[in-house]
Amino acid sequence: KAGVTQTPRYLIKTRGQQVTLSCSPISGHRSVSWYQQTPGQGLQFLFEYFSETQRNKGNFPGRFSGRQFSNSRSEMNVSTLELGDSALYLCASSLVLGGTQYFGPGTRLLVL
Amino acid sequence: KNEVEQSPQNLTAQEGEFITINCSYSVGISALHWLQQHPGGGIVSLFMLSSGKKKHGRLIATINIQEKHSSLHITASHPRDSAVYICAVISNFGNEKLTFGTGTRLTIIP
């Protein structure tokens, strides 16, 4: 089976712009979670989707949003980018909620 | 205080040494994950456990629910084990989100 894929892998944006990141889970996995990793804060949970419904949300401002499609693919969107949004954004999929998570390679976002 | 604490933060050892990385948490959990992150960012899930002990190759993970503590052991360490090891817990408060430790940077010297 193909692993979790994320696109794009690298992205450079400027402050105030918005960005959409995409995640394709492992075939058959219905749960997709998103994480932000920065040198200062480490790994932090953003949100989790299961069967197109957001099941959990971390402590991030409303500028961070996401959605999941009927084929389990997920997107996350960050509006009005700030310098502090520069990070590695990781997506992980699992067969069931709370199951073993399989991580994608991440999207490295740089905000200038 | 973080909900998940790891020690040590950094660990350098000689090839062949037995490695132990510790994780303590302060909340009730339904499961605990050990993750491995290599330079470049890729994360691999090593173990998910809720009790007892699991072994995979040279890696062993244990958890003591009463003491709220888990350990990751690496036997016969090798330079390719050099990575950041991250402990993460799923709380049992009803949601399923992962809370992460700050990671342990392991360097194995040949």
Side-chain angles (χ1 to χ4, degrees):
Chain A
K1 275 186 181 177
V4 178
T5 58
Q6 291 186 245
T7 57
R9 293 293 311 278
Y10 304 93
L11 203 49
I12 299 175
K13 291 284 189 179
T14 55
R15 278 182 300 174
Q17 287 187 308
Q18 75 162 22
V19 66
T20 299
L21 311 181
S22 181
C23 171
S24 292
I26 291 172
S27 178
H29 286 196
R30 293 167 65 193
S31 173
V32 174
S33 299
W34 288 90
Y35 303 93
Q36 182 197 64
Q37 186 177 36
T38 59
Q41 299 294 321
L43 270 164
Q44 293 183 284
F45 170 78
L46 278 158
F47 23 65
E48 179 177 30
Y49 288 87
F50 184 81
S51 294
E52 301 178 67
T53 302
Q54 187 179 89
R55 293 298 301 263
N56 291 300
K57 191 176 190 306
N59 298 323
F60 279 81
R63 299 185 297 107
F64 291 80
S65 63
R67 59 178 175 168
Q68 186 180 33
F69 302 96
S70 58
N71 61 359
S72 294
R73 191 177 70 84
S74 177
E75 288 181 348
M76 66 162 282
N77 184 78
V78 188
S79 62
T80 320
L81 283 166
E82 300 177 0
L83 296 179
D85 297 332
S86 295
L88 179 68
Y89 290 88
L90 290 153
C91 158
S93 74
S94 61
L95 200 55
V96 296
L97 280 173
T100 298
Q101 300 213 332
Y102 296 83
F103 285 80
T107 294
R108 195 167 292 280
L109 171 65
L110 178 62
V111 182
L112 301 175
Chain B
K1 191 180 189 308
N2 291 334
E3 289 182 348
V4 184
E5 300 272 357
Q6 283 186 240
S7 63
Q9 283 190 305
N10 293 283
L11 179 56
T12 300
Q14 292 289 132
E15 183 174 356
E17 285 190 38
F18 181 81
I19 303 298
T20 296
I21 298 171
N22 296 299
C23 175
S24 296
Y25 51 91
S26 57
V27 296
I29 68 168
S30 58
L32 180 144
H33 291 255
W34 280 103
L35 309 171
Q36 179 194 56
Q37 185 171 31
H38 280 283
I43 292 181
V44 174
S45 179
L46 298 173
F47 296 102
M48 184 177 77
L49 62 166
S50 53
S51 66
K53 175 180 172 179
K54 286 190 176 179
K55 184 175 189 294
H56 186 257
R58 295 180 295 106
L59 301 177
I60 303 165
T62 64
I63 188 168
N64 185 318
I65 296 294
Q66 286 73 30
E67 294 185 5
K68 291 187 166 62
H69 181 268
S70 175
S71 292
L72 176 68
H73 305 287
I74 305 174
T75 61
S77 60
H78 190 276
R80 65 174 173 266
D81 297 327
S82 298
V84 175
Y85 292 84
I86 303 167
C87 168
V89 302
I90 300 176
S91 73
N92 59 7
F93 290 154
N95 62 38
E96 304 285 342
K97 70 183 184 83
L98 277 173
T99 302
F100 298 89
T102 52
T104 295
R105 185 174 298 277
L106 174 66
T107 304
I108 303 297
I109 299 171

